[in-house]
Amino acid sequence: MNSPRPISVVSTFASPSSPCDSTKKPLSLWPGMYHSPVTTALWEARSKIFESLLDPPVNAPPQSQLLTRTPSHSRTTIFYPFSTDFILREQYRDPWNEVRIGILLEDLDALAGTISVKHCSDDDSTTRPLLLVTASVHKIVLKKPICVGIDLKTVASVIWVGRSSIEIQLEVMQSEHKDVKASSDSVALTANFIFVARDSKTGKAAPINRLSPETELEKLLFEEAEARNNLRKKKRGGDRREFDHGECKKLEAWLAEGRIFSDMPALADRNSILLKDTRLENSLICQPQQRNIHGRIFGGFLMHRAFELAFSTAYTFAGLVPYFLEVDHVDFLRPVDVGDFLRFKSCVLYTQLDKLDCPLINIEVVAHVTSPEIRSSEVSNTFYFKFTVRPEAKARNNGFKLRNVVPATEEEARHILERMDAEALNSSKQQE
């Protein structure tokens, strides 16, 4: 099967004045149009499918028969012509002439969502479409800096399908130099998104089209994703793990050091800091322009805002410009609606100082949907980011040293140990 043509991205500043068909709803008025140029390109490319999602038939029946799709059916390539489109380049540029990670996270979520819709569609305009929502992000890893002056390409496809869930793998690729052909692109970033399908009328879990891997690589990716899914099920169903003797000793040592900060602050270790003193917070009212095709707040927007807060937290903690390494995990626990009062709270959960040339800062961001009228606050999302310090910033400061983070309560200490355990478990699974 021939690969579909890449979807080329153009700057969004050029489009508002362009003429449109008066019989169709202008793309600029559809949900999601204000996020990034990629979202616009995706809506244009998949407009037929998305139109049916925006205006589903009244009392339409559900899909009656599941189809079998191959990964190539919904595989999509996004092309960013940074080398020739100056306005596009400026929309993505950060202060260090690299691509803004927060905007790229929005793009990845939009692309993964588009592919999940494409895979789950039955191409029948008389049936009601499924409601597909981001359930979690397994991991997003930055393998090398992404230069904003060199053309960029993102390739994404379905790698695994369960009964009502689907996993999308995305690879962001870029050449090392401007004059190198695209055929020699190397992977700069990888990401895995998991979506779940719901019946748009009943809200219950809905079965989705099957996946038939064709190549040996596709079969391997399917098996690896299946193993991750089984691990997630075990985590959800398992009881809280008891800490072993060594972990209990570590917990006691942390709490003893934390008490020094409380009882004798003048004698506390100057190379350590209490976890609560690393916290930052911001809040916002969710606006209609930030909604997705289902009327809920776009998951990529939430990741973007969480990333910006995590970056700021790492910056104020380290005292030097941080460098993003990975999103370790994201949970989407409940939907966020237009008009919700959303609060993001961040902290440095722990640091890893065993590698002097690459010390690690682990940031947790928790999003809360707050309802002042009924005095309610619920966690909607949890995000875990990993940063180090930019090498050039560290080189200018020979005396640079990151602090240890110390919990002040047993709850904080247990939470840190649980996150360390989860990270170690994920690392061991990747090495198997």
Side-chain angles (χ1 to χ4, degrees):
M1 181 176 178
N2 294 330
S3 299
R5 292 178 59 187
I7 298 173
S8 188
V9 181
V10 296
S11 59
T12 52
F13 292 122
S15 60
S17 61
S18 58
C20 62
D21 182 355
S22 61
T23 64
K24 293 180 62 179
K25 189 174 185 179
L27 281 172
S28 59
L29 298 180
W30 287 6
M33 287 300 96
Y34 297 91
H35 301 300
S36 81
V38 161
T39 319
T40 305
L42 289 171
W43 277 82
E44 291 279 10
R46 308 295 190 201
S47 58
K48 183 177 180 181
I49 298 175
F50 286 137
E51 282 179 345
S52 68
L53 293 177
L54 288 169
D55 300 304
V58 179
N59 297 322
Q63 181 177 341
S64 60
Q65 186 175 3
L66 295 180
L67 308 175
T68 299
R69 306 282 201 191
T70 62
S72 60
H73 173 265
S74 55
R75 183 173 290 118
T76 304
T77 300
I78 294 291
F79 180 68
Y80 300 76
F82 287 139
S83 64
T84 56
D85 190 331
F86 174 79
I87 296 177
L88 180 69
R89 188 159 70 241
E90 285 302 304
Q91 287 183 271
Y92 281 81
R93 183 193 300 276
D94 74 4
W96 303 277
N97 286 323
E98 294 172 2
V99 170
R100 290 179 61 187
I101 297 297
I103 295 181
L104 192 58
L105 294 179
E106 286 194 9
D107 291 353
L108 295 176
D109 185 62
L111 177 54
T114 298
I115 291 173
S116 65
V117 169
K118 176 69 173 175
H119 176 88
C120 296
S121 172
D122 62 352
D123 301 324
D124 185 350
S125 60
T126 65
T127 61
R128 65 172 177 260
L130 295 176
L131 176 67
L132 287 151
V133 295
T134 313
S136 64
V137 176
H138 169 61
K139 213 172 187 66
I140 301 175
V141 179
L142 183 68
K143 297 179 177 292
K144 67 174 186 177
I146 304 176
C147 177
V148 79
I150 303 175
D151 292 345
L152 193 68
K153 181 172 68 176
T154 300
V155 181
S157 61
V158 181
I159 62 169
W160 174 83
V161 165
R163 181 186 178 277
S164 60
S165 54
I166 179 171
E167 182 166 342
I168 315 294
Q169 184 175 81
L170 307 96
E171 291 186 329
V172 179
M173 292 178 281
Q174 188 176 62
S175 298
E176 297 290 344
H177 306 287
K178 291 184 180 181
D179 56 350
V180 177
K181 294 183 178 179
S183 59
S184 63
D185 287 349
S186 60
V187 176
L189 182 145
T190 60
N192 289 70
F193 284 70
I194 295 94
F195 287 75
V196 293
R198 297 285 183 265
D199 187 292
S200 56
K201 184 176 182 179
T202 66
K204 296 181 180 180
I208 59 179
N209 293 330
R210 298 175 290 268
L211 182 69
S212 177
E214 295 179 301
T215 68
E216 290 303 315
L217 177 59
E218 289 171 352
K219 293 175 183 178
L220 176 62
L221 291 173
F222 186 95
E223 292 173 359
E224 291 175 347
E226 179 78 18
R228 285 194 296 271
N229 180 64
N230 292 333
L231 182 61
R232 284 193 297 270
K233 288 180 178 179
K234 288 181 180 179
K235 286 182 178 179
R236 286 197 298 265
D239 296 328
R240 189 171 181 175
R241 185 180 70 85
E242 294 296 326
F243 296 129
D244 60 31
H245 178 72
E247 290 170 324
C248 288
K249 285 291 186 182
K250 183 182 291 186
L251 188 148
E252 292 171 3
W254 282 342
L255 293 177
E257 187 175 357
R259 284 192 292 271
I260 299 298
F261 276 90
S262 175
D263 300 338
M264 295 173 283
L267 301 179
D269 186 352
R270 295 296 179 245
N271 292 321
S272 298
I273 185 173
L274 287 177
L275 184 151
K276 67 182 182 66
D277 293 330
T278 70
R279 297 187 187 279
L280 289 181
E281 179 178 341
N282 62 28
S283 58
L284 63 122
I285 301 296
C286 297
Q287 303 294 337
Q289 293 80 8
Q290 297 148 3
R291 73 193 188 279
N292 59 21
I293 57 177
H294 304 300
R296 295 274 171 66
I297 297 303
F298 176 45
F301 171 79
L302 300 175
M303 282 198 291
H304 186 173
R305 293 301 297 258
F307 171 82
E308 298 290 350
L309 181 60
F311 185 95
S312 301
T313 304
Y315 201 171
T316 57
F317 173 76
L320 295 176
V321 179
Y323 179 77
F324 169 75
L325 293 175
E326 65 181 54
V327 178
D328 185 57
H329 188 76
V330 180
D331 281 317
F332 291 80
L333 303 175
R334 59 148 287 175
V336 181
D337 294 313
V338 172
D340 278 348
F341 175 31
L342 195 62
R343 302 176 69 185
F344 290 91
K345 301 180 180 181
S346 68
C347 69
V348 180
L349 207 54
Y350 61 96
T351 54
Q352 294 167 272
L353 310 179
D354 48 322
K355 295 181 180 179
L356 296 178
D357 60 330
C358 188
L360 303 179
I361 308 168
N362 293 272
I363 307 287
E364 177 186 63
V365 180
V366 181
H368 299 256
V369 172
T370 304
S371 303
E373 296 90 344
I374 58 175
R375 296 185 297 174
S376 168
S377 181
E378 295 181 72
V379 174
S380 61
N381 308 83
T382 57
F383 308 84
Y384 296 97
F385 299 92
K386 195 184 295 289
F387 294 86
T388 186
V389 175
R390 294 190 72 90
E392 64 271 24
K394 190 168 58 175
R396 293 193 296 267
N397 190 333
N398 293 329
F400 168 76
K401 185 178 181 181
L402 281 180
R403 291 182 178 187
N404 289 300
V405 177
V406 179
T409 66
E410 183 173 344
E411 181 182 7
E412 289 178 350
R414 286 184 172 274
H415 185 45
I416 294 172
L417 283 176
E418 287 169 356
R419 278 306 309 160
M420 288 180 167
D421 183 53
E423 183 179 358
L425 182 60
N426 288 336
S427 298
S428 64
K429 288 295 181 183
Q430 287 178 351
Q431 294 171 2
E432 288 179 358

